[in-house]
Every structure is written in structure tokens, then in C-alpha cells.
Amino acid sequence: MATDALQKTTLRVEQLGVSSQAGVDALFSELRSAADAEAAQIRGPESLEAFRVKWLGRRDGISSRISENWLKPAPPVMKKFVGAGLNQLRTALEASVESAKNSVADIETGPPIDLSLPGIERPVGTSHLIRQTYEELERIFLAIGFSVVEGPEMETPYYNFEALNIPEHHPARDNMDTFYIEGSGGHLLRTHTSPMQIRTMEKEPPPVRIIVPGKVYRRDNPDATHGFIFHQLEGLAVDYDITFCDFRGVVDYFVRALLGPKVKTRLRPSYFPFTEPSAEVDVSCHVCGGSGCRTCKFSGWIELFGSGMVNPAVYGFVGYDPKRLSGFAFGMGVDRLAMLRYGITDLQAFFQNDVRFLRQFP
Ligand code: PHE
């Protein structure tokens, strides 16, 4: 078959017993089939070159052999048919080589790039609502001279409790439902960002004005308002002349910057071992304006964060002089703040990363 057809090119047309146009056409169509079958097997630059040399090579290519063996010695009547057949074969072979060249290039470099086509649009993500809220909080405090510091999520009981005036067996340790890390020699996951108060004052001489964004952990069962992980923003300002009025002023400034000029604030007595006096900061309900609704549980007020004047006992742990220094601290739940702000009813939405939720806060 294929080999037969090729062998025939070593003989002359008369030797093959061909004496008509039909006979010549039959010879060429046999060769065409053989060439097409081989061209279909071309897989790379080497097999392409081998194909080209075999069929179109100057010295011993099949088309040259046809020219030598069939065309030149052919009787004048046959020359026309052989010449036409050879021309057609050459054209077909050259076309095969060209198209194989393209597909070989495709294999090597991929399809040709059409630079005029529009690009593939990749969806662009946005920062998470918690991140966005942090950025806004940071902007508000940076504007009045606070700077941002961050600290470890794995803490020692000393920083998380002891130095914050929460001694062992103090009931405040229980209601913080701490995760202790097994085999860590007593380390724990911080239950609040307050340990960074201690770490900062230990390192820096006064005055101190910091905010601390970060994740905190508590052994809570996850539900619409609780999670075992959530986000806080801590604040601490300590200097030689800070008064309760400064504290009150910063609270007012912050609440107005965050929620608008119409919102009212109120301080409610509270208790934290590391602040004295301690206060919960409430704001007038942004939904009903204070007249009472479901969001504020019909009280007109919403609890925003815990705070107070730094307990002088804390200064003792960091080598600050409690007689000359004073300051205030606060700690707020960022998830809670974002929920209030955007009317989100399920805390878990922040952690599930459902794009249908995330997309609503571009
Ligand atoms: N650390 C407290 C908490 O997590 C909040 C707080 C911080 C209160 C600073 C007062 C001062 O509940």
C-alpha cells in the first residue's frame, strides 16, 4: 500500500505499465493518500522536518524522485499528465507542511494570542467588612494622635490576667472562659486585647497613646451573638495629666466620628479589675433615635464598649509611677459594632465567608 506507492517512484512510468492519464492520476492519488496519512502523524518539529525531507527534499525527496524517474523519461504524451500530477502533489505537500507548522507551534506555545480580543475579566475581591470597620476605627483614632500596635494571640496568664489586676482565683478569670493551650507550659489564647496594655507600657515610657486591633478567643458556644473567636479594638492613653474629662471627651469625639453628630453618649458604672472607675459607654439608639425599638430592646440606648480610668494597681506591674501618671482604657467588640452599624443579625456571617454576604460590602 503506502510502501508500494513509494516504491513505484523508483521505477519509470512505462516500467509501471502506466500509459494513460487515468493511470497517472491513480498513481498520484495513491501517493496523496500516503502523504496525507503521514502528515496526520506529525507531532513536533522533528517529525515535521522528517516529513518535509522525505517528501520535498531536494536530493532524494519523493517529489524529486518522481521528477527524475517519472517525468524526465516519460514519453511526450504522458509528460503533460505526469507534470500536472506532480505539481498538484507538490502544492498539497507544501500545504501540509505549512499547516503542520502551525499546529506544531500551537503545541509548543499554545494558540496564537489575539491582542485585539477583550481581556478575561477576573472578579476583584474587596476587603472584609471587619477589616473595613477596623480601618475606619483606626482612621478615627489616628486623627487624634493614637498609633496602632498589634500583639500575640497566644499569651501567658501573666499578661492576660495577672498584670491586669486579675489574680488567680479571681472570678473574672472564670467568666472569660479561657482556651488553654495543651502542652504549652500554661499558655492561653488571649481572651481580650488588654494584654497589649501591659506589653506596651512595659516597653515604652509614658506618654502612651495606642489602639490595638486583634482577634480574641473565648470558650463560647457559637450563636447569633457569640463566637469562640471575635475581634476587639483596645485603646490606652496614659500621661502625666490625663483626667476623666479627657476620657469623656475622647469617647464623645469617637462616637460622633463613628455614628454622626446627633448621637448621644452616656457612661454607666461598670466593673473591670484593670480600670477604676469603670464604665460602659452607651449610645442613643441609631435606629429609633432613643424612643425605643427592637434594636435597643426598647431602652433607647445601645451598649457600645467597656472602659475606664486605668487602675493604679496596673502601673505597679509595668514600673509606671501611679502617683504621677493617669490614663484611660477601652475595649470594644468590632464584630458587634459592625453588626449594629449595618443591621447584621448573625455574627456567624463574618466567619462563613459566603460571597453573597461579602459582596454586599464592597
Ligand atoms: N478587656 C475588656 C473586655 O474584653 C474590655 C475593656 C478594655 C474594658 C479596656 C476596660 C478597659 O471585656
PDB file of all heavy atoms in Angstrom, residues 73-105:
ATOM      1  N   PRO A  73      11.955  10.874 -18.028  1.00  0.00           N
ATOM      2  CA  PRO A  73      11.996   9.875 -19.107  1.00  0.00           C
ATOM      3  C   PRO A  73      10.635   9.583 -19.742  1.00  0.00           C
ATOM      4  O   PRO A  73      10.547   8.727 -20.627  1.00  0.00           O
ATOM      5  CB  PRO A  73      12.532   8.633 -18.398  1.00  0.00           C
ATOM      6  CG  PRO A  73      12.303   8.845 -16.943  1.00  0.00           C
ATOM      7  CD  PRO A  73      11.979  10.260 -16.698  1.00  0.00           C
ATOM      8  N   ALA A  74       9.569  10.244 -19.309  1.00  0.00           N
ATOM      9  CA  ALA A  74       8.232   9.904 -19.805  1.00  0.00           C
ATOM     10  C   ALA A  74       8.114  10.244 -21.302  1.00  0.00           C
ATOM     11  O   ALA A  74       8.659  11.244 -21.746  1.00  0.00           O
ATOM     12  CB  ALA A  74       7.172  10.656 -19.018  1.00  0.00           C
ATOM     13  N   PRO A  75       7.400   9.418 -22.042  1.00  0.00           N
ATOM     14  CA  PRO A  75       7.135   9.742 -23.449  1.00  0.00           C
ATOM     15  C   PRO A  75       6.322  11.034 -23.528  1.00  0.00           C
ATOM     16  O   PRO A  75       5.556  11.319 -22.598  1.00  0.00           O
ATOM     17  CB  PRO A  75       6.314   8.559 -23.958  1.00  0.00           C
ATOM     18  CG  PRO A  75       5.870   7.799 -22.756  1.00  0.00           C
ATOM     19  CD  PRO A  75       6.774   8.159 -21.619  1.00  0.00           C
ATOM     20  N   PRO A  76       6.520  11.824 -24.578  1.00  0.00           N
ATOM     21  CA  PRO A  76       5.913  13.142 -24.672  1.00  0.00           C
ATOM     22  C   PRO A  76       4.406  13.159 -24.344  1.00  0.00           C
ATOM     23  O   PRO A  76       3.951  14.061 -23.635  1.00  0.00           O
ATOM     24  CB  PRO A  76       6.152  13.532 -26.123  1.00  0.00           C
ATOM     25  CG  PRO A  76       7.324  12.726 -26.532  1.00  0.00           C
ATOM     26  CD  PRO A  76       7.342  11.485 -25.730  1.00  0.00           C
ATOM     27  N   VAL A  77       3.626  12.201 -24.746  1.00  0.00           N
ATOM     28  CA  VAL A  77       2.172  12.227 -24.472  1.00  0.00           C
ATOM     29  C   VAL A  77       1.868  12.160 -22.972  1.00  0.00           C
ATOM     30  O   VAL A  77       0.880  12.701 -22.482  1.00  0.00           O
ATOM     31  CB  VAL A  77       1.423  11.070 -25.174  1.00  0.00           C
ATOM     32  CG1 VAL A  77       1.122  11.432 -26.612  1.00  0.00           C
ATOM     33  CG2 VAL A  77       2.196   9.757 -25.052  1.00  0.00           C
ATOM     34  N   MET A  78       2.738  11.472 -22.256  1.00  0.00           N
ATOM     35  CA  MET A  78       2.493  11.272 -20.824  1.00  0.00           C
ATOM     36  C   MET A  78       3.012  12.428 -19.974  1.00  0.00           C
ATOM     37  O   MET A  78       2.536  12.658 -18.850  1.00  0.00           O
ATOM     38  CB  MET A  78       3.174   9.974 -20.350  1.00  0.00           C
ATOM     39  CG  MET A  78       2.627   8.717 -20.990  1.00  0.00           C
ATOM     40  SD  MET A  78       0.898   8.463 -20.535  1.00  0.00           S
ATOM     41  CE  MET A  78       1.151   7.871 -18.884  1.00  0.00           C
ATOM     42  N   LYS A  79       4.024  13.144 -20.543  1.00  0.00           N
ATOM     43  CA  LYS A  79       4.691  14.197 -19.764  1.00  0.00           C
ATOM     44  C   LYS A  79       3.704  15.178 -19.148  1.00  0.00           C
ATOM     45  O   LYS A  79       3.830  15.585 -17.997  1.00  0.00           O
ATOM     46  CB  LYS A  79       5.686  14.954 -20.653  1.00  0.00           C
ATOM     47  CG  LYS A  79       7.119  14.549 -20.340  1.00  0.00           C
ATOM     48  CD  LYS A  79       8.122  15.572 -20.842  1.00  0.00           C
ATOM     49  CE  LYS A  79       9.487  15.171 -20.309  1.00  0.00           C
ATOM     50  NZ  LYS A  79      10.408  14.735 -21.380  1.00  0.00           N
ATOM     51  N   LYS A  80       2.699  15.565 -19.984  1.00  0.00           N
ATOM     52  CA  LYS A  80       1.715  16.539 -19.553  1.00  0.00           C
ATOM     53  C   LYS A  80       0.998  16.059 -18.282  1.00  0.00           C
ATOM     54  O   LYS A  80       0.867  16.785 -17.297  1.00  0.00           O
ATOM     55  CB  LYS A  80       0.673  16.732 -20.659  1.00  0.00           C
ATOM     56  CG  LYS A  80       0.108  18.120 -20.725  1.00  0.00           C
ATOM     57  CD  LYS A  80      -0.635  18.332 -22.036  1.00  0.00           C
ATOM     58  CE  LYS A  80      -2.008  17.683 -21.968  1.00  0.00           C
ATOM     59  NZ  LYS A  80      -2.759  17.799 -23.255  1.00  0.00           N
ATOM     60  N   PHE A  81       0.572  14.808 -18.297  1.00  0.00           N
ATOM     61  CA  PHE A  81      -0.204  14.273 -17.161  1.00  0.00           C
ATOM     62  C   PHE A  81       0.678  14.141 -15.923  1.00  0.00           C
ATOM     63  O   PHE A  81       0.271  14.480 -14.811  1.00  0.00           O
ATOM     64  CB  PHE A  81      -0.811  12.917 -17.522  1.00  0.00           C
ATOM     65  CG  PHE A  81      -1.575  12.942 -18.808  1.00  0.00           C
ATOM     66  CD1 PHE A  81      -1.411  11.918 -19.762  1.00  0.00           C
ATOM     67  CD2 PHE A  81      -2.450  13.998 -19.090  1.00  0.00           C
ATOM     68  CE1 PHE A  81      -2.115  11.940 -20.945  1.00  0.00           C
ATOM     69  CE2 PHE A  81      -3.153  14.010 -20.296  1.00  0.00           C
ATOM     70  CZ  PHE A  81      -2.995  12.991 -21.226  1.00  0.00           C
ATOM     71  N   VAL A  82       1.895  13.637 -16.140  1.00  0.00           N
ATOM     72  CA  VAL A  82       2.800  13.454 -15.004  1.00  0.00           C
ATOM     73  C   VAL A  82       3.158  14.815 -14.402  1.00  0.00           C
ATOM     74  O   VAL A  82       3.130  14.998 -13.180  1.00  0.00           O
ATOM     75  CB  VAL A  82       4.075  12.680 -15.419  1.00  0.00           C
ATOM     76  CG1 VAL A  82       5.064  12.607 -14.245  1.00  0.00           C
ATOM     77  CG2 VAL A  82       3.730  11.276 -15.896  1.00  0.00           C
ATOM     78  N   GLY A  83       3.464  15.783 -15.309  1.00  0.00           N
ATOM     79  CA  GLY A  83       3.809  17.127 -14.827  1.00  0.00           C
ATOM     80  C   GLY A  83       2.692  17.745 -14.005  1.00  0.00           C
ATOM     81  O   GLY A  83       2.915  18.270 -12.908  1.00  0.00           O
ATOM     82  N   ALA A  84       1.448  17.618 -14.534  1.00  0.00           N
ATOM     83  CA  ALA A  84       0.313  18.198 -13.799  1.00  0.00           C
ATOM     84  C   ALA A  84       0.145  17.510 -12.450  1.00  0.00           C
ATOM     85  O   ALA A  84      -0.052  18.152 -11.410  1.00  0.00           O
ATOM     86  CB  ALA A  84      -0.960  18.078 -14.628  1.00  0.00           C
ATOM     87  N   GLY A  85       0.237  16.160 -12.456  1.00  0.00           N
ATOM     88  CA  GLY A  85       0.089  15.395 -11.208  1.00  0.00           C
ATOM     89  C   GLY A  85       1.150  15.791 -10.192  1.00  0.00           C
ATOM     90  O   GLY A  85       0.846  15.980  -8.997  1.00  0.00           O
ATOM     91  N   LEU A  86       2.384  15.953 -10.703  1.00  0.00           N
ATOM     92  CA  LEU A  86       3.474  16.303  -9.791  1.00  0.00           C
ATOM     93  C   LEU A  86       3.256  17.684  -9.173  1.00  0.00           C
ATOM     94  O   LEU A  86       3.440  17.882  -7.969  1.00  0.00           O
ATOM     95  CB  LEU A  86       4.815  16.247 -10.536  1.00  0.00           C
ATOM     96  CG  LEU A  86       6.055  16.619  -9.715  1.00  0.00           C
ATOM     97  CD1 LEU A  86       6.183  15.729  -8.482  1.00  0.00           C
ATOM     98  CD2 LEU A  86       7.335  16.513 -10.575  1.00  0.00           C
ATOM     99  N   ASN A  87       2.852  18.644 -10.015  1.00  0.00           N
ATOM    100  CA  ASN A  87       2.573  19.994  -9.492  1.00  0.00           C
ATOM    101  C   ASN A  87       1.518  19.972  -8.385  1.00  0.00           C
ATOM    102  O   ASN A  87       1.675  20.601  -7.341  1.00  0.00           O
ATOM    103  CB  ASN A  87       2.107  20.914 -10.621  1.00  0.00           C
ATOM    104  CG  ASN A  87       3.300  21.497 -11.356  1.00  0.00           C
ATOM    105  OD1 ASN A  87       4.411  21.505 -10.820  1.00  0.00           O
ATOM    106  ND2 ASN A  87       3.075  21.957 -12.583  1.00  0.00           N
ATOM    107  N   GLN A  88       0.444  19.212  -8.651  1.00  0.00           N
ATOM    108  CA  GLN A  88      -0.626  19.140  -7.647  1.00  0.00           C
ATOM    109  C   GLN A  88      -0.117  18.506  -6.350  1.00  0.00           C
ATOM    110  O   GLN A  88      -0.431  18.965  -5.251  1.00  0.00           O
ATOM    111  CB  GLN A  88      -1.790  18.311  -8.170  1.00  0.00           C
ATOM    112  CG  GLN A  88      -2.772  19.150  -8.982  1.00  0.00           C
ATOM    113  CD  GLN A  88      -3.777  18.243  -9.712  1.00  0.00           C
ATOM    114  OE1 GLN A  88      -4.045  17.122  -9.292  1.00  0.00           O
ATOM    115  NE2 GLN A  88      -4.300  18.755 -10.815  1.00  0.00           N
ATOM    116  N   LEU A  89       0.689  17.444  -6.525  1.00  0.00           N
ATOM    117  CA  LEU A  89       1.208  16.772  -5.337  1.00  0.00           C
ATOM    118  C   LEU A  89       2.080  17.726  -4.528  1.00  0.00           C
ATOM    119  O   LEU A  89       1.938  17.837  -3.293  1.00  0.00           O
ATOM    120  CB  LEU A  89       2.006  15.525  -5.720  1.00  0.00           C
ATOM    121  CG  LEU A  89       2.618  14.755  -4.526  1.00  0.00           C
ATOM    122  CD1 LEU A  89       1.523  14.112  -3.680  1.00  0.00           C
ATOM    123  CD2 LEU A  89       3.614  13.687  -4.991  1.00  0.00           C
ATOM    124  N   ARG A  90       2.973  18.441  -5.218  1.00  0.00           N
ATOM    125  CA  ARG A  90       3.859  19.392  -4.525  1.00  0.00           C
ATOM    126  C   ARG A  90       3.059  20.437  -3.756  1.00  0.00           C
ATOM    127  O   ARG A  90       3.347  20.727  -2.598  1.00  0.00           O
ATOM    128  CB  ARG A  90       4.742  20.114  -5.541  1.00  0.00           C
ATOM    129  CG  ARG A  90       5.987  19.321  -5.890  1.00  0.00           C
ATOM    130  CD  ARG A  90       7.138  20.273  -6.226  1.00  0.00           C
ATOM    131  NE  ARG A  90       8.390  19.538  -6.346  1.00  0.00           N
ATOM    132  CZ  ARG A  90       9.037  19.329  -7.508  1.00  0.00           C
ATOM    133  NH1 ARG A  90       8.544  19.820  -8.630  1.00  0.00           N
ATOM    134  NH2 ARG A  90      10.162  18.636  -7.509  1.00  0.00           N
ATOM    135  N   THR A  91       2.051  20.994  -4.435  1.00  0.00           N
ATOM    136  CA  THR A  91       1.222  22.015  -3.785  1.00  0.00           C
ATOM    137  C   THR A  91       0.584  21.449  -2.515  1.00  0.00           C
ATOM    138  O   THR A  91       0.590  22.079  -1.455  1.00  0.00           O
ATOM    139  CB  THR A  91       0.123  22.499  -4.755  1.00  0.00           C
ATOM    140  OG1 THR A  91       0.761  22.869  -5.980  1.00  0.00           O
ATOM    141  CG2 THR A  91      -0.636  23.666  -4.186  1.00  0.00           C
ATOM    142  N   ALA A  92       0.062  20.221  -2.646  1.00  0.00           N
ATOM    143  CA  ALA A  92      -0.587  19.603  -1.487  1.00  0.00           C
ATOM    144  C   ALA A  92       0.420  19.360  -0.365  1.00  0.00           C
ATOM    145  O   ALA A  92       0.128  19.593   0.815  1.00  0.00           O
ATOM    146  CB  ALA A  92      -1.257  18.293  -1.898  1.00  0.00           C
ATOM    147  N   LEU A  93       1.640  18.895  -0.745  1.00  0.00           N
ATOM    148  CA  LEU A  93       2.661  18.631   0.269  1.00  0.00           C
ATOM    149  C   LEU A  93       3.063  19.923   0.993  1.00  0.00           C
ATOM    150  O   LEU A  93       3.193  19.954   2.227  1.00  0.00           O
ATOM    151  CB  LEU A  93       3.904  17.990  -0.362  1.00  0.00           C
ATOM    152  CG  LEU A  93       3.748  16.532  -0.817  1.00  0.00           C
ATOM    153  CD1 LEU A  93       4.937  16.111  -1.688  1.00  0.00           C
ATOM    154  CD2 LEU A  93       3.592  15.596   0.377  1.00  0.00           C
ATOM    155  N   GLU A  94       3.244  20.982   0.198  1.00  0.00           N
ATOM    156  CA  GLU A  94       3.625  22.257   0.820  1.00  0.00           C
ATOM    157  C   GLU A  94       2.542  22.753   1.775  1.00  0.00           C
ATOM    158  O   GLU A  94       2.836  23.257   2.862  1.00  0.00           O
ATOM    159  CB  GLU A  94       3.925  23.309  -0.269  1.00  0.00           C
ATOM    160  CG  GLU A  94       5.387  23.226  -0.715  1.00  0.00           C
ATOM    161  CD  GLU A  94       5.611  23.696  -2.158  1.00  0.00           C
ATOM    162  OE1 GLU A  94       4.702  24.354  -2.718  1.00  0.00           O
ATOM    163  OE2 GLU A  94       6.699  23.404  -2.701  1.00  0.00           O
ATOM    164  N   ALA A  95       1.282  22.563   1.357  1.00  0.00           N
ATOM    165  CA  ALA A  95       0.184  22.971   2.235  1.00  0.00           C
ATOM    166  C   ALA A  95       0.199  22.160   3.527  1.00  0.00           C
ATOM    167  O   ALA A  95      -0.011  22.692   4.622  1.00  0.00           O
ATOM    168  CB  ALA A  95      -1.155  22.812   1.513  1.00  0.00           C
ATOM    169  N   SER A  96       0.487  20.853   3.401  1.00  0.00           N
ATOM    170  CA  SER A  96       0.550  20.004   4.592  1.00  0.00           C
ATOM    171  C   SER A  96       1.641  20.493   5.540  1.00  0.00           C
ATOM    172  O   SER A  96       1.449  20.545   6.759  1.00  0.00           O
ATOM    173  CB  SER A  96       0.845  18.551   4.221  1.00  0.00           C
ATOM    174  OG  SER A  96      -0.258  18.002   3.543  1.00  0.00           O
ATOM    175  N   VAL A  97       2.808  20.831   4.954  1.00  0.00           N
ATOM    176  CA  VAL A  97       3.922  21.298   5.778  1.00  0.00           C
ATOM    177  C   VAL A  97       3.537  22.597   6.496  1.00  0.00           C
ATOM    178  O   VAL A  97       3.744  22.741   7.701  1.00  0.00           O
ATOM    179  CB  VAL A  97       5.201  21.489   4.931  1.00  0.00           C
ATOM    180  CG1 VAL A  97       6.262  22.258   5.713  1.00  0.00           C
ATOM    181  CG2 VAL A  97       5.744  20.141   4.483  1.00  0.00           C
ATOM    182  N   GLU A  98       2.914  23.517   5.772  1.00  0.00           N
ATOM    183  CA  GLU A  98       2.513  24.793   6.385  1.00  0.00           C
ATOM    184  C   GLU A  98       1.539  24.583   7.539  1.00  0.00           C
ATOM    185  O   GLU A  98       1.704  25.145   8.621  1.00  0.00           O
ATOM    186  CB  GLU A  98       1.857  25.713   5.337  1.00  0.00           C
ATOM    187  CG  GLU A  98       2.837  26.552   4.531  1.00  0.00           C
ATOM    188  CD  GLU A  98       3.928  27.182   5.380  1.00  0.00           C
ATOM    189  OE1 GLU A  98       3.588  27.964   6.306  1.00  0.00           O
ATOM    190  OE2 GLU A  98       5.132  26.881   5.154  1.00  0.00           O
ATOM    191  N   SER A  99       0.528  23.748   7.276  1.00  0.00           N
ATOM    192  CA  SER A  99      -0.482  23.617   8.339  1.00  0.00           C
ATOM    193  C   SER A  99       0.098  22.843   9.522  1.00  0.00           C
ATOM    194  O   SER A  99      -0.238  23.122  10.677  1.00  0.00           O
ATOM    195  CB  SER A  99      -1.775  22.998   7.805  1.00  0.00           C
ATOM    196  OG  SER A  99      -1.694  21.603   7.859  1.00  0.00           O
ATOM    197  N   ALA A 100       1.013  21.895   9.236  1.00  0.00           N
ATOM    198  CA  ALA A 100       1.665  21.191  10.347  1.00  0.00           C
ATOM    199  C   ALA A 100       2.519  22.153  11.165  1.00  0.00           C
ATOM    200  O   ALA A 100       2.571  22.067  12.390  1.00  0.00           O
ATOM    201  CB  ALA A 100       2.503  20.032   9.828  1.00  0.00           C
ATOM    202  N   LYS A 101       3.169  23.090  10.472  1.00  0.00           N
ATOM    203  CA  LYS A 101       3.980  24.099  11.183  1.00  0.00           C
ATOM    204  C   LYS A 101       3.130  24.844  12.205  1.00  0.00           C
ATOM    205  O   LYS A 101       3.534  25.053  13.340  1.00  0.00           O
ATOM    206  CB  LYS A 101       4.514  25.130  10.182  1.00  0.00           C
ATOM    207  CG  LYS A 101       5.978  24.957   9.840  1.00  0.00           C
ATOM    208  CD  LYS A 101       6.421  26.119   8.975  1.00  0.00           C
ATOM    209  CE  LYS A 101       7.593  25.700   8.102  1.00  0.00           C
ATOM    210  NZ  LYS A 101       7.773  26.598   6.948  1.00  0.00           N
ATOM    211  N   ASN A 102       1.947  25.254  11.803  1.00  0.00           N
ATOM    212  CA  ASN A 102       1.060  25.984  12.719  1.00  0.00           C
ATOM    213  C   ASN A 102       0.646  25.141  13.903  1.00  0.00           C
ATOM    214  O   ASN A 102       0.664  25.607  15.042  1.00  0.00           O
ATOM    215  CB  ASN A 102      -0.179  26.483  11.996  1.00  0.00           C
ATOM    216  CG  ASN A 102       0.167  27.578  11.006  1.00  0.00           C
ATOM    217  OD1 ASN A 102       1.160  28.288  11.199  1.00  0.00           O
ATOM    218  ND2 ASN A 102      -0.618  27.698   9.952  1.00  0.00           N
ATOM    219  N   SER A 103       0.285  23.862  13.623  1.00  0.00           N
ATOM    220  CA  SER A 103      -0.190  23.086  14.771  1.00  0.00           C
ATOM    221  C   SER A 103       0.961  22.709  15.692  1.00  0.00           C
ATOM    222  O   SER A 103       0.776  22.607  16.897  1.00  0.00           O
ATOM    223  CB  SER A 103      -0.991  21.870  14.313  1.00  0.00           C
ATOM    224  OG  SER A 103      -0.204  21.091  13.459  1.00  0.00           O
ATOM    225  N   VAL A 104       2.161  22.547  15.123  1.00  0.00           N
ATOM    226  CA  VAL A 104       3.321  22.306  15.980  1.00  0.00           C
ATOM    227  C   VAL A 104       3.573  23.524  16.866  1.00  0.00           C
ATOM    228  O   VAL A 104       3.803  23.410  18.072  1.00  0.00           O
ATOM    229  CB  VAL A 104       4.580  21.975  15.132  1.00  0.00           C
ATOM    230  CG1 VAL A 104       5.846  22.096  15.973  1.00  0.00           C
ATOM    231  CG2 VAL A 104       4.466  20.576  14.561  1.00  0.00           C
ATOM    232  N   ALA A 105       3.445  24.718  16.299  1.00  0.00           N
ATOM    233  CA  ALA A 105       3.624  25.941  17.092  1.00  0.00           C
ATOM    234  C   ALA A 105       2.576  26.008  18.196  1.00  0.00           C
ATOM    235  O   ALA A 105       2.859  26.417  19.320  1.00  0.00           O
ATOM    236  CB  ALA A 105       3.541  27.161  16.197  1.00  0.00           C
TER     237      ALA A 105
END
